[in-house]
Amino acid sequence: MQADAGGVEGFGFSETENQIQIRQMVRDFAEKHIRPHVMEWDEAQVFPVELFKEMGQLGLMGVLVPEEYGGSGLGYHEYVDVIVEVARVCGSIGLSLAAHNSLCTGHILNFANEEQKQRWLPKLATATCIGAWGLTEAGTGSDALRMQTTARLDGDHYVINGAKNWITHGKSGDIAVVMVRTGETGKASGISAIVVERGTPGFEAGKKENKLGMRASETTEMIFDNCRVPKENLLGAEGEGFKQAMKVLDGGRISIAALALGIAKGAFDAAVNYAKERQQFGQPIANFQGISFKLADMATEIEAATLLIRQASDLKNRQLPVTKVSAMAKYYASEVSVRTATEAVQIFGGYGYTKDFPVEKYYRDAKLCTIGEGTSEIQKIVIAREVLNL
């Protein structure tokens, strides 16, 4: 049984019957096909590709992609629901789902020309191909303008050299959108976005990271050694890649906020149920104020995060500026996720520190949300700039 931190499951706002049905469908799928394997995949660091193929058949790998390209043609409210329900069961699967939809697929959807959309979107939307997105490098995380991966135009091809780090699906991804330096270091106009397909000579996977959490979501290097890519794979014009990436991250932050919310809800569900069942001093520990106040704080923060995400989704659906609110949603929801998971472990006590109970995994998975797609500190910089009109 799942507890509910909020008064209404669908963000406390009015919602369509379609939203309710989609949420229930994803919840049922997650319970049947994901929950039984959560710890198995986590312990072995297995990226379950076949699961994503199944989700592709359900339309979950192209939630925002129009139906003409093989997608579901849904909006951000439905997209957030999908990620929340998956992450409520397993943060790793939620992370990979979000990265595929928001980053690789989202970049192509928003910035590719018609021929490129027809070429790649149907494959991504159905999970015939898994997507990856490469911005970060070993020496340039938040300081992306100083990336060292270069692309030099040689006739009808770009020749790419360098490496990307911390890339979700860097090994298993079939289609990767890669940000490369085509101009001067340190300038936004020096960055371009190019699609590189798996199997292209000179494109290989490197080290797979051994992570604290999100262990079933593959994270590896992508290495480019004189990798020749047709110039037709350039997204937009040369020099537009950094601007494109920042816009992609605006939407991506909503998905990471949803991921964080799902993890928080999963940890909260477990904590509520345990607090009702666990007996100490002749009564359930939920009866003690020290525990009930923790649950009250958790529920309140989850509801506040939910409303911020709902606002960001609404702005995105209406194609209004979303930079400030998406950064707020990502920053707040990710920190709430960490606090909620921490308190859930505390409520479980010693049991919460073992792998026999679910909250230790929520605790490990939650931390990534404060780091990935821009740290909490970067979100505060973005918010401050928007507030100060800098």
Side-chain angles (χ1 to χ4, degrees), residues 133-149 163-167 179 191 242 245-246 249 253 371-375 378-379 381:
W133 194 76
L135 176 65
T136 303
E137 297 180 5
T140 57
S142 300
D143 189 14
L145 287 178
R146 286 171 176 77
M147 67 177 61
Q148 297 301 304
T149 300
K164 296 293 180 179
N165 292 62
W166 304 104
I167 307 305
M179 268 50 69
I191 306 299
F242 186 77
M246 294 304 102
L249 287 174
R253 285 167 182 153
I371 299 170
E373 292 193 36
T375 62
I378 288 294
Q379 304 312 314
I381 290 172

Side-chain angles (χ1 to χ4, degrees), residues 107-279:
H107 199 139
I108 292 171
L109 176 62
N110 286 288
F111 298 105
N113 60 38
E114 185 59 30
E115 186 277 329
Q116 292 170 329
K117 289 179 181 179
Q118 293 285 355
R119 180 179 172 190
W120 291 312
L121 286 179
K123 297 176 182 178
L124 290 164
T126 57
T128 301
C129 291
I130 301 295
W133 194 76
L135 176 65
T136 303
E137 297 180 5
T140 57
S142 300
D143 189 14
L145 287 178
R146 286 171 176 77
M147 67 177 61
Q148 297 301 304
T149 300
T150 61
R152 174 179 56 85
L153 189 59
D154 180 25
D156 293 333
H157 290 74
Y158 280 99
V159 181
I160 304 176
N161 282 285
K164 296 293 180 179
N165 292 62
W166 304 104
I167 307 305
T168 304
H169 313 146
K171 179 180 180 181
S172 297
D174 305 289
I175 297 171
V177 177
V178 185
M179 268 50 69
V180 295
R181 184 160 57 80
T182 52
E184 190 175 341
T185 301
K187 289 192 174 181
S189 59
I191 306 299
S192 301
I194 299 176
V195 174
V196 186
E197 298 185 58
R198 186 67 60 186
T200 303
F203 175 30
E204 302 290 342
K207 175 188 175 185
K208 179 180 177 180
E209 303 296 341
N210 185 10
K211 299 175 296 183
L212 168 71
M214 303 292 195
R215 290 165 62 83
S217 179
E218 176 188 281
T219 305
T220 68
E221 290 178 303
M222 293 194 301
I223 299 172
F224 303 92
D225 182 10
N226 289 318
C227 179
R228 295 180 65 86
V229 180
K231 66 180 182 181
E232 290 79 17
N233 286 20
L234 179 71
L235 295 177
E238 195 170 284
E240 293 181 347
F242 186 77
K243 292 180 181 178
Q244 293 175 4
M246 294 304 102
K247 290 180 180 177
V248 168
L249 287 174
D250 273 351
R253 285 167 182 153
I254 299 174
S255 70
I256 297 300
L259 173 67
L261 179 62
I263 293 170
K265 281 176 173 266
F268 178 79
D269 293 340
V272 168
N273 290 333
Y274 184 80
K276 289 178 177 179
E277 295 169 0
R278 174 66 167 168
Q279 296 275 330

